[in-house]
Amino acid sequence: MKTPFSGPLLKLNLDDILKVVVQDHSLHSRWLLTLSYLENCGARKISEFQSIFKGQVPLSILQHAWEESRHAFFMKKQISKLGQNPDQKRSFLGGTKAKNLLYLLDVKILKLLKENCIKKKEDLYYGAYLLTTYAIEKRADSLYGAYQKNLENNGSKINLKLIIKEEENHLKEIEEKINKNKKISLLKPKVLEIESDIFSNFLSDVEQEIFLT
């Protein structure tokens, strides 16, 4: 998509970017693929984390993994509503920044926990699960809300209201668990700062790809 703008990269907000994305079926398909990939990454990370429970995985965590997988399926399936094949090979919006987003967040949160003297393997992984999930769900709250608004404004057949409700429930549950651990709870502001930096870099690449190519 060629840009009508010239000069340095415009620093647009999320809503500006989504307005363009939902009106272009090619961009929109890639956006949905990107969201599907991120949801699936989340599901896989939850599954990997379950090993610390030695087969006795809490029901709430099994439900969380299941819902994240279902969200990944849902996002990819919506591509068909744009008249396109969900399984057609297409690139992610944001390129490598999209591919590495959750991995980088997880690595930085693990480092943060170690810096705050959380060393035991089980405590480290559980703390990383709580804080990574917290950051992701906070982002989902604003991201999916803005996306839904633009879908409605564009008269799209795609509707995220059920997913938004489930993500809100995830956030509530994870905050309740974090607040039971004072040491972990004190790290919430720093975690949101880390996530914001990573997400901003990803969004900057999406913006550049949309407006400068």
Side-chain angles (χ1 to χ4, degrees):
M1 177 180 180
K2 294 197 182 225
T3 173
F5 308 108
S6 61
L9 176 64
L10 298 173
K11 291 298 180 184
L12 304 177
N13 61 33
L14 175 63
D15 200 51
D16 293 324
I17 292 170
L18 288 171
K19 282 178 183 176
V20 174
V21 167
V22 299
Q23 293 181 59
D24 183 306
H25 283 187
S26 177
L27 288 175
H28 200 174
S29 295
R30 293 173 61 203
W31 174 249
L32 284 163
L33 178 68
T34 305
L35 294 180
S36 176
Y37 169 79
L38 292 172
E39 291 280 2
N40 199 36
C41 281
R44 292 203 310 270
K45 285 193 174 295
I46 295 169
S47 295
E48 291 168 5
F49 152 74
Q50 291 173 13
S51 63
I52 70 168
F53 295 108
K54 303 185 185 339
Q56 302 294 318
V57 184
L59 184 63
S60 62
I61 293 176
L62 288 174
Q63 180 180 0
H64 190 188
W66 169 64
E67 288 181 349
E68 295 302 308
S69 292
R70 187 161 50 77
H71 293 176
F73 170 78
F74 173 87
M75 291 297 184
K76 193 163 188 178
K77 189 176 181 182
Q78 301 317 294
I79 294 173
S80 63
K81 292 184 178 179
L82 304 176
Q84 301 194 38
N85 179 4
D87 289 327
Q88 176 186 327
K89 296 293 183 182
R90 46 176 62 86
S91 59
F92 299 125
L93 276 180
T96 55
K97 293 286 175 60
K99 290 186 73 173
N100 295 330
L101 193 153
L102 288 187
Y103 170 76
L104 188 57
L105 178 62
D106 199 37
V107 166
K108 291 197 172 189
I109 287 175
L110 279 168
K111 182 181 178 183
L112 177 67
L113 288 166
K114 290 175 182 177
E115 289 172 349
N116 283 269
C117 300
I118 297 175
K119 304 295 184 184
K120 188 178 176 183
K121 180 181 176 181
E122 289 78 7
D123 294 342
L124 193 61
Y125 284 4
Y126 187 57
Y129 164 72
L130 292 177
L131 291 174
T132 301
T133 302
Y134 169 71
I136 290 169
E137 299 300 352
K138 289 288 283 186
R139 176 59 60 190
D141 185 52
S142 59
L143 176 62
Y144 287 168
Y147 184 22
Q148 176 64 26
K149 183 184 75 173
N150 277 280
L151 290 170
E152 292 172 358
N153 290 344
N154 202 52
S156 176
K157 296 178 182 179
I158 300 170
N159 190 306
L160 305 181
K161 288 182 179 178
L162 178 58
I163 284 181
I164 289 172
K165 182 62 178 175
E166 289 179 347
E167 299 290 18
E168 287 174 351
N169 290 338
H170 292 165
L171 178 59
K172 181 179 178 182
E173 289 170 7
I174 215 73
E175 284 191 299
E176 288 174 355
K177 291 176 181 177
I178 289 174
N179 291 339
K180 291 177 182 178
N181 186 320
K182 186 175 181 181
K183 199 168 188 178
I184 297 293
S185 181
L186 290 172
L187 299 177
K188 288 196 295 184
K190 181 61 179 177
V191 163
L192 292 183
E193 182 183 323
I194 290 170
E195 189 279 337
S196 180
D197 182 60
I198 294 171
F199 185 80
S200 294
N201 286 333
F202 156 69
L203 204 61
S204 179
D205 275 26
V206 172
E207 178 187 346
Q208 184 169 355
E209 189 172 354
I210 291 173
F211 292 101
L212 295 183
T213 59

